[in-house]
Amino acid sequence: MQKKYISIYHQLVEQINHEQLPVNTLLPSENELAETYQTSRETIRKALHLLAQHGYIQKIRGKGSVVIDRNRLDFPVSGIVSFKELAKKLNLAATTTVTYMKKVERPNPIYKTMSTKEPIWNVNRVRNIDGENVILDKDYFIETIIPMPSQETCAQSIYDYIEHELDLTISFAQKEITVEEPTEQDRELLDLKHHTNVVVIKSLVYLDDARLFQYTESRHRPDKFKFVDFARRMS
């Protein structure tokens, strides 16, 4: 005989899949669900835990459980892909807005991060997908390697500029992924809704001659993406 929490899980999944519980809906409280299904709160907790494990809901501290969008976009972690290339590949209705563009004055910690004394310029860009601001990209470039282009070029694709106008070859990157609380800037520029965290990918990017030319901090709303990679066991 099927355990009751599994039966409740399947019933809630069916409601979510048929949009009887749409994305961003706050589920009833544990007490309300226990009364609806004539069971204990412990049984409800088990069903909700299963829903969270399978990516149907996200538990929000102090609020309860919210239905999340399972149709997330595959964001390649191991590759080096520009946003323009990703949007084209996934056929996204996407736009980019440059919110800040300037040379970085000294002293600034970014000079230590990039291990350089050469001038650095910074551009911040907000990525909008399907009408929502979901990514904030903060990019830093060594100016003697990558001269600062126009704002229009930055809104289109800096990697296009690097590869086709500067005739340089982008080769590899070192990446770090963390989950952080949103900054004031995140809250101002991104449509975070109820989300209390952002996924941050920090990258040091190199040319084929092993020169570091870019540091980027890409800040993502967590419900919109799946961060995917490919791994092979070494023999």
Side-chain angles (χ1 to χ4, degrees), residues 86-201:
L86 183 67
K88 183 177 180 180
K89 179 181 177 183
L90 298 178
N91 196 27
L92 302 178
T95 58
T96 292
T97 301
V98 176
T99 61
Y100 180 88
M101 189 174 176
K102 200 171 183 181
K103 292 184 179 181
V104 181
E105 294 184 1
R106 306 170 196 266
N108 189 298
I110 192 63
Y111 284 93
K112 185 176 180 181
T113 299
M114 299 184 74
S115 302
T116 186
K117 294 181 180 179
E118 299 294 332
I120 293 173
W121 59 276
N122 164 224
V123 59
N124 294 350
R125 293 172 292 176
V126 173
R127 314 296 196 173
N128 184 292
I129 298 175
D130 296 332
E132 294 184 305
N133 294 335
V134 293
I135 304 174
L136 170 59
D137 281 337
K138 302 167 71 173
D139 294 288
Y140 299 84
F141 295 90
I142 296 176
E143 191 173 21
T144 52
I145 303 174
I146 312 297
M148 185 188 293
S150 67
Q151 184 169 314
E152 183 181 358
T153 294
C154 290
Q156 289 297 315
S157 174
I158 295 176
Y159 276 16
D160 270 357
Y161 163 69
I162 292 171
E163 293 177 324
H164 299 126
E165 290 192 38
L166 300 181
D167 199 25
L168 296 172
T169 302
I170 301 166
S171 183
F172 64 95
Q174 294 174 320
K175 297 192 178 187
E176 172 188 304
I177 303 175
T178 58
V179 177
E180 302 177 6
E181 290 187 4
T183 63
E184 288 186 15
Q185 188 180 45
D186 294 330
R187 296 185 189 282
E188 178 187 348
L189 297 176
L190 299 179
D191 297 320
L192 289 179
K193 298 184 176 179
H194 57 268
H195 298 286
T196 56
N197 293 300
V198 290
V199 178
V200 182
I201 302 179

Side-chain angles (χ1 to χ4, degrees), residues 19-148:
E19 297 187 353
Q20 295 167 339
L21 291 171
V23 171
N24 296 324
T25 297
L26 186 67
L27 293 185
S29 68
E30 290 181 1
N31 284 332
E32 291 171 322
L33 288 170
E35 186 174 336
T36 298
Y37 291 100
Q38 293 295 292
T39 189
S40 66
R41 284 184 64 187
E42 182 59 30
T43 298
I44 294 300
R45 284 195 195 102
K46 288 181 179 179
L48 294 177
H49 180 69
L50 208 55
L51 284 169
Q53 274 189 321
H54 288 84
Y56 287 98
I57 64 170
Q58 178 175 327
K59 293 183 179 180
I60 308 296
R61 188 187 307 165
K63 291 186 178 181
S65 298
V66 175
V67 178
I68 61 177
D69 187 359
R70 297 186 81 240
N71 298 316
R72 299 184 182 187
L73 304 171
D74 285 352
F75 196 98
V77 175
S78 58
I80 303 176
V81 182
S82 72
F83 182 76
K84 182 179 179 181
E85 291 166 338
L86 183 67
K88 183 177 180 180
K89 179 181 177 183
L90 298 178
N91 196 27
L92 302 178
T95 58
T96 292
T97 301
V98 176
T99 61
Y100 180 88
M101 189 174 176
K102 200 171 183 181
K103 292 184 179 181
V104 181
E105 294 184 1
R106 306 170 196 266
N108 189 298
I110 192 63
Y111 284 93
K112 185 176 180 181
T113 299
M114 299 184 74
S115 302
T116 186
K117 294 181 180 179
E118 299 294 332
I120 293 173
W121 59 276
N122 164 224
V123 59
N124 294 350
R125 293 172 292 176
V126 173
R127 314 296 196 173
N128 184 292
I129 298 175
D130 296 332
E132 294 184 305
N133 294 335
V134 293
I135 304 174
L136 170 59
D137 281 337
K138 302 167 71 173
D139 294 288
Y140 299 84
F141 295 90
I142 296 176
E143 191 173 21
T144 52
I145 303 174
I146 312 297
M148 185 188 293

